[in-house]
Coordinates of all heavy atoms in Angstrom, one line a residue:
M1 N -12.8 -39.0 -4.5 CA -12.2 -38.8 -3.2 C -10.8 -38.1 -3.6 O -10.2 -38.6 -4.5 CB -12.0 -40.2 -2.7 CG -11.3 -40.0 -1.3 SD -11.4 -41.7 -0.6 CE -9.8 -41.9 0.0
I2 N -10.4 -37.2 -2.7 CA -9.1 -36.5 -2.9 C -8.2 -37.2 -1.9 O -8.5 -37.3 -0.8 CB -9.3 -35.0 -2.5 CG1 -10.3 -34.5 -3.5 CG2 -8.0 -34.3 -2.6 CD1 -10.7 -33.0 -3.3
S3 N -7.0 -37.4 -2.5 CA -5.9 -38.0 -1.6 C -4.7 -37.2 -1.8 O -4.3 -36.7 -2.8 CB -5.6 -39.4 -2.1 OG -4.5 -39.9 -1.4
L4 N -4.0 -37.0 -0.6 CA -2.7 -36.2 -0.7 C -1.5 -37.0 -1.0 O -0.5 -36.5 -1.1 CB -2.6 -35.3 0.7 CG -3.6 -34.3 0.9 CD1 -3.4 -33.7 2.2 CD2 -3.7 -33.2 -0.2
G5 N -1.7 -38.4 -0.8 CA -0.6 -39.2 -1.0 C 0.2 -39.4 0.3 O -0.1 -38.8 1.3
N6 N 1.1 -40.3 0.2 CA 1.8 -40.7 1.5 C 2.9 -39.6 1.8 O 3.3 -39.5 3.0 CB 2.5 -42.1 1.2 CG 1.5 -43.1 1.0 OD1 0.4 -43.0 1.6 ND2 2.0 -44.3 0.4
R7 N 3.3 -38.8 1.0 CA 4.4 -38.0 1.3 C 3.9 -36.8 2.4 O 4.8 -36.3 2.9 CB 5.0 -37.4 0.1 CG 4.1 -36.4 -0.7 CD 4.9 -36.0 -1.9 NE 3.8 -35.0 -2.6 CZ 4.3 -34.1 -3.4 NH1 5.6 -34.0 -3.9 NH2 3.5 -33.3 -4.0
F8 N 2.7 -36.5 2.3 CA 2.2 -35.5 3.2 C 1.7 -35.9 4.6 O 1.3 -35.3 5.5 CB 1.0 -34.7 2.6 CG 1.5 -33.9 1.4 CD1 1.1 -34.3 0.2 CD2 2.3 -32.8 1.6 CE1 1.5 -33.6 -1.0 CE2 2.7 -32.1 0.6 CZ 2.3 -32.3 -0.6
Q9 N 1.7 -37.4 4.7 CA 1.3 -37.9 6.0 C 2.5 -38.2 6.7 O 3.5 -38.7 6.3 CB 0.5 -39.1 5.8 CG -0.8 -39.0 5.0 CD -1.5 -40.4 4.5 OE1 -0.8 -41.4 4.9 NE2 -2.5 -40.3 4.0
P10 N 2.4 -37.9 8.2 CA 3.6 -38.2 9.1 C 4.0 -39.6 9.0 O 3.0 -40.4 9.1 CB 3.1 -37.8 10.4 CG 2.0 -37.0 10.2 CD 1.3 -37.4 8.9
G11 N 5.2 -39.9 9.1 CA 5.8 -41.3 8.9 C 5.8 -41.8 10.4 O 4.8 -41.9 11.0
P12 N 6.9 -42.4 10.8 CA 7.0 -43.1 12.0 C 6.8 -42.2 13.2 O 6.5 -41.0 13.1 CB 8.4 -43.7 11.9 CG 9.0 -43.5 10.7 CD 8.1 -42.5 10.0
V13 N 7.0 -42.7 14.3 CA 6.8 -42.0 15.7 C 7.7 -40.6 15.6 O 7.3 -39.6 16.0 CB 7.2 -42.8 16.8 CG1 7.1 -42.0 18.1 CG2 6.4 -44.1 17.0
I14 N 8.8 -40.7 15.1 CA 9.8 -39.5 15.1 C 9.1 -38.4 14.2 O 9.0 -37.3 14.5 CB 11.1 -39.8 14.6 CG1 11.7 -40.9 15.3 CG2 11.9 -38.6 14.4 CD1 13.1 -40.5 15.9
G15 N 8.5 -38.8 13.1 CA 7.8 -37.9 12.2 C 6.6 -37.3 12.9 O 6.3 -36.1 12.7
K16 N 5.9 -38.1 13.6 CA 4.7 -37.6 14.4 C 5.1 -36.6 15.5 O 4.5 -35.6 15.6 CB 3.8 -38.6 15.0 CG 3.2 -39.5 14.0 CD 2.3 -40.6 14.6 CE 1.6 -41.4 13.5 NZ 1.0 -42.5 14.1
R17 N 6.3 -36.8 16.2 CA 6.7 -36.0 17.3 C 7.2 -34.6 16.5 O 6.8 -33.5 17.2 CB 7.9 -36.7 18.0 CG 7.6 -37.7 18.9 CD 8.7 -38.2 19.6 NE 8.1 -39.4 20.5 CZ 9.1 -40.3 21.0 NH1 10.3 -40.1 20.8 NH2 8.5 -41.3 21.8
I18 N 7.8 -34.7 15.5 CA 8.3 -33.4 14.9 C 7.1 -32.5 14.4 O 7.0 -31.5 14.5 CB 9.2 -33.8 13.7 CG1 10.5 -34.2 14.1 CG2 9.4 -32.6 12.9 CD1 11.5 -34.8 13.0
F19 N 6.0 -33.3 13.9 CA 4.8 -32.7 13.4 C 4.1 -32.0 14.7 O 3.7 -31.0 14.5 CB 3.9 -33.8 12.8 CG 2.6 -33.0 12.4 CD1 2.6 -32.4 11.3 CD2 1.4 -33.4 13.1 CE1 1.3 -31.9 10.9 CE2 0.2 -32.9 12.7 CZ 0.1 -32.0 11.6
M20 N 4.2 -32.8 15.8 CA 3.4 -32.1 17.1 C 4.3 -30.9 17.5 O 3.6 -29.9 17.9 CB 3.3 -33.2 18.0 CG 2.3 -34.3 17.6 SD 0.7 -33.8 17.3 CE 0.1 -33.2 18.9
V21 N 5.5 -30.9 17.5 CA 6.3 -30.0 17.9 C 6.2 -28.8 17.1 O 5.9 -27.6 17.5 CB 7.8 -30.3 18.1 CG1 8.7 -29.1 18.2 CG2 7.9 -31.3 19.1
L22 N 6.2 -28.9 15.8 CA 5.9 -27.8 14.8 C 4.7 -27.2 15.0 O 4.5 -25.9 14.8 CB 6.3 -28.3 13.3 CG 7.7 -28.6 13.0 CD1 7.8 -29.1 11.7 CD2 8.6 -27.4 13.2
A23 N 3.6 -28.0 15.1 CA 2.2 -27.5 15.2 C 2.1 -26.7 16.6 O 1.5 -25.6 16.6 CB 1.2 -28.7 15.4
L24 N 2.7 -27.2 17.6 CA 2.8 -26.6 18.9 C 3.4 -25.1 18.8 O 3.1 -24.1 19.2 CB 3.4 -27.3 20.0 CG 3.3 -26.7 21.5 CD1 1.8 -26.6 22.0 CD2 4.2 -27.5 22.3
L25 N 4.6 -25.2 18.1 CA 5.3 -23.8 17.9 C 4.5 -22.9 17.2 O 4.6 -21.7 17.4 CB 6.7 -24.2 17.3 CG 7.7 -24.8 18.2 CD1 8.9 -25.1 17.3 CD2 8.2 -23.9 19.3
T26 N 3.8 -23.5 16.1 CA 3.1 -22.5 15.3 C 1.9 -21.8 16.2 O 1.5 -20.7 15.9 CB 2.4 -23.2 14.1 OG1 3.5 -23.8 13.3 CG2 1.5 -22.4 13.2
I27 N 1.3 -22.6 16.9 CA 0.1 -22.1 17.8 C 0.6 -21.0 18.9 O 0.1 -20.0 19.0 CB -0.6 -23.4 18.5 CG1 -1.3 -24.2 17.6 CG2 -1.5 -22.8 19.5 CD1 -1.9 -25.4 18.2
V28 N 2.0 -21.3 19.5 CA 2.4 -20.4 20.3 C 2.8 -19.1 19.7 O 2.5 -18.0 20.2 CB 3.6 -21.1 21.1 CG1 4.5 -20.1 21.9 CG2 3.2 -22.3 22.0
A29 N 3.4 -19.2 18.5 CA 3.8 -18.1 17.7 C 2.6 -17.3 17.4 O 2.6 -16.1 17.4 CB 4.5 -18.4 16.5
G30 N 1.5 -17.9 17.0 CA 0.3 -17.2 16.6 C -0.3 -16.5 17.9 O -0.8 -15.4 17.9
L31 N -0.3 -17.0 19.0 CA -0.8 -16.5 20.3 C 0.1 -15.3 20.8 O -0.4 -14.2 21.3 CB -0.8 -17.5 21.4 CG -2.0 -18.5 21.2 CD1 -1.9 -19.6 22.3 CD2 -3.3 -17.9 21.2
V32 N 1.4 -15.5 20.5 CA 2.2 -14.3 21.1 C 2.2 -13.1 20.0 O 2.2 -12.0 20.4 CB 3.8 -14.8 20.9 CG1 4.8 -13.6 21.1 CG2 4.0 -15.8 22.1
A33 N 1.9 -13.4 18.8 CA 1.8 -12.4 17.8 C 0.5 -11.7 17.9 O 0.3 -10.5 17.7 CB 1.9 -12.9 16.3
C34 N -0.6 -12.3 18.5 CA -1.8 -11.6 18.7 C -1.9 -11.0 20.0 O -3.1 -10.4 20.4 CB -2.9 -12.7 18.6 SG -3.1 -13.4 17.0
K35 N -0.9 -10.8 20.7 CA -1.0 -10.1 22.0 C -1.3 -8.6 21.8 O -0.7 -8.0 20.9 CB 0.2 -10.3 22.9 CG 0.3 -9.7 24.2 CD 1.7 -10.1 24.9 CE 2.6 -9.2 24.4 NZ 3.9 -9.2 25.3
P36 N -2.2 -8.0 22.5 CA -2.5 -6.7 22.3 C -1.3 -5.6 22.6 O -0.6 -6.0 23.6 CB -3.8 -6.3 23.2 CG -3.7 -7.2 24.2 CD -3.0 -8.5 23.6
A37 N -1.1 -4.7 21.8 CA 0.0 -3.7 22.0 C -0.4 -2.9 23.3 O -1.5 -2.5 23.5 CB 0.2 -2.9 20.8
P38 N 0.7 -2.4 24.0 CA 0.4 -1.5 25.1 C -0.1 -0.2 24.7 O 0.4 0.3 23.6 CB 1.7 -1.5 25.8 CG 2.7 -1.8 24.8 CD 2.0 -2.8 23.9
T39 N -0.9 0.5 25.4 CA -1.5 1.7 25.1 C -0.5 2.8 25.5 O -0.1 2.8 26.7 CB -2.8 2.0 25.7 OG1 -2.8 1.8 27.1 CG2 -3.9 1.0 25.2
P40 N 0.0 3.6 24.6 CA 0.8 4.7 25.0 C 0.1 5.7 25.7 O -1.0 6.1 25.5 CB 1.3 5.2 23.6 CG 0.2 4.9 22.6 CD -0.4 3.7 23.1
T41 N 0.8 6.4 26.6 CA 0.3 7.5 27.3 C 0.5 8.7 26.6 O 1.8 9.1 26.4 CB 0.8 7.6 28.8 OG1 2.3 7.6 28.7 CG2 0.5 6.3 29.6
L42 N -0.4 9.6 26.4 CA -0.2 10.8 25.6 C -0.2 12.0 26.7 O -1.0 12.1 27.5 CB -1.4 10.9 24.6 CG -1.3 9.8 23.7 CD1 -2.6 10.1 22.7 CD2 -0.1 9.8 22.7
T43 N 0.8 12.8 26.5 CA 0.8 14.0 27.2 C 0.3 15.2 26.4 O 0.6 15.4 25.3 CB 2.3 14.4 27.8 OG1 3.1 14.4 26.5 CG2 2.7 13.3 28.6
P44 N -0.7 16.0 27.0 CA -1.3 17.0 26.2 C -0.1 18.1 25.8 O 0.6 18.6 26.7 CB -2.3 17.6 27.1 CG -1.9 17.3 28.5 CD -1.1 16.0 28.4
A45 N -0.1 18.4 24.7 CA 0.8 19.5 24.2 C 0.1 20.8 23.9 O -1.1 20.8 23.6 CB 1.4 19.0 22.8
T46 N 0.9 21.8 24.1 CA 0.2 23.1 23.8 C 0.2 23.4 22.4 O 1.1 23.2 21.6 CB 1.3 24.2 24.5 OG1 2.6 24.1 23.8 CG2 1.3 24.1 26.0
P47 N -1.0 23.8 22.0 CA -1.3 23.9 20.6 C -0.5 25.1 20.0 O -0.5 26.1 20.7 CB -2.8 24.1 20.4 CG -3.1 24.6 21.8 CD -2.2 24.0 22.7
V48 N 0.0 24.9 18.8 CA 0.7 26.0 18.0 C -0.2 26.6 17.0 O -0.7 25.8 16.2 CB 2.1 25.4 17.6 CG1 2.8 26.5 16.7 CG2 2.9 24.8 18.6
P49 N -0.5 27.8 17.1 CA -1.4 28.4 16.1 C -0.7 28.2 14.6 O 0.4 28.6 14.5 CB -1.5 29.8 16.4 CG -0.5 30.1 17.4 CD 0.1 28.8 18.0
P50 N -1.5 27.9 13.7 CA -0.9 27.7 12.4 C -0.6 29.2 11.7 O -1.4 30.1 11.9 CB -2.1 27.0 11.5 CG -3.3 27.3 12.3 CD -2.9 27.5 13.7
T51 N 0.5 29.2 11.1 CA 0.8 30.4 10.5 C 0.3 30.4 9.0 O 0.7 29.4 8.3 CB 2.5 30.7 10.4 OG1 3.0 29.7 9.8 CG2 2.8 30.8 11.9
P52 N -0.5 31.4 8.5 CA -0.9 31.3 7.1 C 0.3 31.6 6.2 O 1.1 32.3 6.3 CB -1.9 32.6 7.1 CG -1.5 33.5 8.3 CD -0.9 32.6 9.3
T53 N 0.2 30.8 5.2 CA 1.3 30.8 4.2 C 0.6 31.5 3.0 O -0.4 31.1 2.5 CB 1.9 29.5 3.8 OG1 0.8 28.7 3.4 CG2 2.6 28.9 5.0
P54 N 1.3 32.6 2.4 CA 0.7 33.1 1.3 C 0.7 32.2 0.0 O 1.7 31.3 -0.2 CB 1.6 34.3 1.0 CG 3.0 34.0 1.6 CD 2.6 33.0 2.8
A55 N -0.3 32.2 -0.9 CA -0.4 31.5 -2.0 C 0.7 31.9 -3.1 O 0.9 33.2 -3.1 CB -1.8 31.6 -2.6
P56 N 1.2 31.0 -3.8 CA 2.1 31.4 -4.7 C 1.5 32.2 -5.9 O 0.3 31.9 -6.2 CB 2.8 30.2 -5.3 CG 1.7 29.1 -5.0 CD 1.0 29.5 -3.7
A57 N 2.3 33.2 -6.4 CA 1.8 34.0 -7.5 C 1.5 33.1 -8.8 O 0.6 33.3 -9.5 CB 2.7 35.2 -7.7
E58 N 2.5 32.1 -9.0 CA 2.4 31.3 -10.1 C 2.6 29.8 -9.8 O 3.5 29.6 -9.0 CB 3.3 31.8 -11.2 CG 3.2 31.0 -12.4 CD 4.3 31.5 -13.5 OE1 4.3 32.7 -13.7 OE2 5.0 30.7 -14.0
L59 N 1.9 28.9 -10.3 CA 2.0 27.5 -10.0 C 2.3 26.9 -11.3 O 1.6 27.0 -12.3 CB 0.7 26.9 -9.4 CG 0.7 25.4 -9.0 CD1 1.7 25.3 -7.9 CD2 -0.5 25.0 -8.8
K60 N 3.5 26.1 -11.3 CA 3.9 25.4 -12.6 C 3.3 24.1 -12.5 O 3.4 23.3 -11.5 CB 5.4 25.4 -12.7 CG 6.1 26.8 -12.9 CD 7.4 26.5 -13.1 CE 8.2 28.1 -13.3 NZ 9.6 27.8 -13.5
V61 N 2.7 23.6 -13.8 CA 2.1 22.2 -13.8 C 2.9 21.5 -15.0 O 3.3 22.0 -15.9 CB 0.6 22.4 -14.3 CG1 0.0 21.0 -14.6 CG2 -0.2 23.1 -13.3
A62 N 3.2 20.4 -14.6 CA 4.1 19.6 -15.6 C 3.1 18.3 -15.9 O 2.7 17.7 -14.9 CB 5.4 19.2 -15.1
I63 N 3.3 17.9 -17.1 CA 2.5 16.7 -17.6 C 3.6 16.0 -18.4 O 4.3 16.6 -19.2 CB 1.3 16.9 -18.2 CG1 1.3 17.8 -19.5 CG2 0.2 17.4 -17.4 CD1 0.1 17.9 -20.2
L64 N 3.6 14.6 -18.3 CA 4.6 13.9 -19.1 C 3.6 13.2 -20.2 O 3.0 12.0 -19.9 CB 5.2 12.8 -18.3 CG 6.3 11.9 -18.9 CD1 7.4 12.8 -19.7 CD2 6.9 11.0 -17.9
V65 N 3.8 13.5 -21.4 CA 3.1 12.9 -22.5 C 3.8 12.7 -23.7 O 4.8 13.5 -23.9 CB 1.8 13.7 -22.9 CG1 0.7 13.8 -21.7 CG2 2.0 15.2 -23.2
T66 N 3.5 12.0 -24.5 CA 4.1 11.7 -25.9 C 3.5 12.6 -27.0 O 2.2 12.5 -27.1 CB 4.1 10.2 -26.2 OG1 4.5 9.4 -25.3 CG2 4.8 10.1 -27.6
L67 N 4.2 13.5 -27.5 CA 3.7 14.5 -28.5 C 4.2 14.0 -30.0 O 3.9 14.8 -30.8 CB 4.0 15.8 -28.1 CG 3.5 16.4 -26.9 CD1 4.0 17.8 -26.5 CD2 2.0 16.4 -26.8
S68 N 4.7 12.9 -30.0 CA 5.3 12.5 -31.4 C 5.2 10.9 -31.5 O 5.1 10.3 -30.4 CB 6.6 13.0 -31.8 OG 7.6 12.4 -30.8
G69 N 5.3 10.4 -32.6 CA 5.3 9.0 -32.9 C 3.8 8.5 -33.0 O 3.0 9.2 -33.4
D70 N 3.6 7.1 -32.7 CA 2.4 6.5 -33.1 C 1.2 6.9 -32.1 O 0.1 6.9 -32.5 CB 2.6 5.1 -32.9 CG 3.5 4.5 -33.9 OD1 3.7 5.2 -35.1 OD2 4.1 3.4 -33.8
V71 N 1.6 7.4 -30.9 CA 0.6 7.6 -29.9 C 0.5 9.2 -29.6 O 0.1 9.5 -28.6 CB 0.7 6.9 -28.5 CG1 0.5 5.4 -28.9 CG2 2.0 7.1 -28.0
A72 N 0.9 10.0 -30.7 CA 0.8 11.4 -30.4 C -0.5 11.9 -30.2 O -0.7 12.9 -29.5 CB 1.5 12.1 -31.5
T73 N -1.6 11.3 -30.7 CA -2.9 11.7 -30.6 C -3.3 11.8 -29.1 O -4.0 12.7 -28.7 CB -3.9 10.8 -31.4 OG1 -3.4 10.9 -32.8 CG2 -5.3 11.3 -31.3
Y74 N -2.9 10.7 -28.5 CA -3.2 10.6 -27.0 C -2.5 11.8 -26.2 O -3.1 12.4 -25.4 CB -3.0 9.3 -26.4 CG -3.7 8.1 -27.1 CD1 -3.0 7.2 -27.8 CD2 -5.0 8.0 -27.0 CE1 -3.7 6.2 -28.5 CE2 -5.6 7.0 -27.5 CZ -5.1 6.1 -28.3 OH -5.8 5.1 -28.9
G75 N -1.3 12.0 -26.5 CA -0.5 13.1 -25.8 C -1.1 14.3 -26.1 O -1.1 15.3 -25.2
E76 N -1.5 14.5 -27.3 CA -2.1 16.0 -27.7 C -3.3 16.2 -26.9 O -3.7 17.3 -26.5 CB -2.2 16.2 -29.2 CG -0.8 16.1 -29.9 CD -0.9 16.0 -31.4 OE1 -2.1 15.8 -31.9 OE2 0.1 16.2 -32.2
S77 N -4.1 15.2 -26.9 CA -5.4 15.2 -26.3 C -5.2 15.5 -24.7 O -6.0 16.2 -24.1 CB -6.2 13.9 -26.4 OG -6.6 13.7 -27.8
T78 N -4.3 14.8 -24.1 CA -4.0 15.1 -22.7 C -3.6 16.4 -22.5 O -4.0 17.1 -21.6 CB -2.9 13.9 -22.3 OG1 -3.5 12.8 -22.5 CG2 -2.7 14.0 -20.8
R79 N -2.7 16.9 -23.3 CA -2.0 18.2 -23.2 C -3.2 19.3 -23.4 O -3.3 20.2 -22.6 CB -1.0 18.5 -24.4 CG -0.5 19.9 -24.2 CD 0.3 20.4 -25.5 NE -0.7 20.3 -26.7 CZ -0.4 20.0 -27.9 NH1 1.0 20.1 -28.2 NH2 -1.3 20.0 -28.8
D80 N -4.1 19.1 -24.3 CA -5.2 20.1 -24.5 C -6.2 20.0 -23.3 O -6.6 21.0 -22.9 CB -5.9 19.8 -25.8 CG -5.1 19.9 -27.0 OD1 -4.1 20.7 -26.9 OD2 -5.4 19.4 -28.2
G81 N -6.4 18.9 -22.9 CA -7.2 18.7 -21.6 C -6.6 19.3 -20.4 O -7.4 20.2 -19.6
A82 N -5.4 19.3 -20.4 CA -4.7 20.1 -19.2 C -4.8 21.5 -19.4 O -5.1 22.4 -18.5 CB -3.1 19.6 -19.0
F83 N -4.4 22.0 -20.5 CA -4.7 23.4 -20.8 C -6.2 23.9 -20.6 O -6.2 24.9 -19.9 CB -4.3 23.8 -22.3 CG -2.9 23.7 -22.6 CD1 -2.4 23.4 -23.9 CD2 -1.9 24.1 -21.7 CE1 -1.0 23.5 -24.1 CE2 -0.6 24.1 -21.9 CZ -0.2 23.7 -23.1
L84 N -7.1 23.1 -20.9 CA -8.5 23.5 -20.7 C -8.8 23.5 -19.2 O -9.5 24.5 -18.7 CB -9.5 22.4 -21.4 CG -11.0 22.5 -21.2 CD1 -11.3 24.1 -21.8 CD2 -11.6 21.5 -21.7
A85 N -8.3 22.6 -18.3 CA -8.4 22.5 -17.0 C -7.8 23.7 -16.3 O -8.4 24.4 -15.4 CB -7.9 21.2 -16.4
I86 N -6.5 24.1 -16.7 CA -5.9 25.3 -16.2 C -6.6 26.6 -16.6 O -6.9 27.4 -15.7 CB -4.5 25.4 -16.8 CG1 -3.6 24.1 -16.3 CG2 -3.8 26.7 -16.6 CD1 -2.3 24.1 -16.9
D87 N -7.1 26.7 -17.7 CA -8.0 27.8 -18.1 C -9.2 28.0 -17.3 O -9.5 29.1 -16.8 CB -8.3 27.9 -19.7 CG -7.1 28.1 -20.4 OD1 -6.0 28.6 -20.0 OD2 -7.1 27.6 -21.8
E88 N -9.9 26.9 -17.0 CA -11.1 26.9 -16.2 C -10.7 27.3 -14.7 O -11.6 27.9 -14.1 CB -11.7 25.5 -16.1 CG -12.4 25.1 -17.5 CD -13.0 23.9 -17.5 OE1 -13.0 23.1 -16.4 OE2 -13.8 23.5 -18.6
W89 N -9.7 26.7 -14.2 CA -9.2 27.1 -12.8 C -8.9 28.6 -12.9 O -9.2 29.3 -11.8 CB -8.1 26.3 -12.4 CG -7.6 26.6 -11.1 CD1 -6.7 27.4 -10.7 CD2 -8.1 25.9 -9.8 NE1 -6.6 27.4 -9.2 CE2 -7.4 26.5 -8.8 CE3 -9.1 25.0 -9.6 CZ2 -7.7 26.1 -7.6 CZ3 -9.4 24.6 -8.4 CH2 -8.8 25.2 -7.3
N90 N -8.3 29.1 -13.7 CA -7.8 30.5 -13.7 C -9.0 31.4 -13.9 O -9.0 32.6 -13.6 CB -6.8 30.8 -14.8 CG -5.4 30.2 -14.3 OD1 -5.1 30.1 -13.3 ND2 -4.6 30.0 -15.4
A91 N -10.1 30.9 -14.4 CA -11.3 31.8 -14.7 C -12.1 32.0 -13.4 O -13.0 32.9 -13.4 CB -12.2 31.1 -15.8
K92 N -11.7 31.1 -12.4 CA -12.5 31.3 -11.1 C -12.2 32.6 -10.4 O -11.2 33.0 -10.4 CB -12.3 30.1 -10.2 CG -12.9 28.8 -10.8 CD -12.7 27.7 -9.8 CE -13.2 26.3 -10.3 NZ -13.0 25.2 -9.4

């Protein structure tokens, strides 16, 4: 059997009243918070045609890796993988 002990049980009448008031306030707050939000009225806007933007001639790629120290192997592998991916992309 699981017991919470005496400290979690309401004490005299005043403790029961406080417990009931807090329980009622919690229920009211929950009901007020669950009230549906009003639906906004949308006015139709005139569509603006998108303007094409030219692709940049060159795109710079930056990677942050460790190329020295104890974990240099991981950084070099990541750098080489990035170079491979860039070469494959440029071959398209």
Side-chain angles (χ1 to χ4, degrees):
M1 181 168 137
I2 298 174
S3 173
L4 295 177
N6 290 336
R7 65 182 185 161
F8 293 109
Q9 296 175 357
V13 175
I14 301 236
K16 289 182 181 180
R17 285 185 185 160
I18 291 174
F19 177 76
M20 293 302 289
V21 168
L22 289 176
L24 182 65
L25 287 175
T26 302
I27 292 170
V28 169
L31 291 174
V32 169
C34 294
K35 186 175 76 170
T39 57
T41 56
L42 299 175
T43 57
T46 56
V48 177
T51 57
T53 56
E58 183 177 311
L59 180 68
K60 293 184 179 183
V61 177
I63 56 173
L64 180 63
V65 294
T66 302
L67 297 175
S68 63
D70 294 338
V71 292
T73 304
Y74 299 114
E76 291 169 355
S77 298
T78 304
R79 179 198 59 201
D80 294 341
F83 285 149
L84 180 63
I86 291 169
D87 290 339
E88 286 179 0
W89 182 265
N90 287 333
K92 291 183 182 180

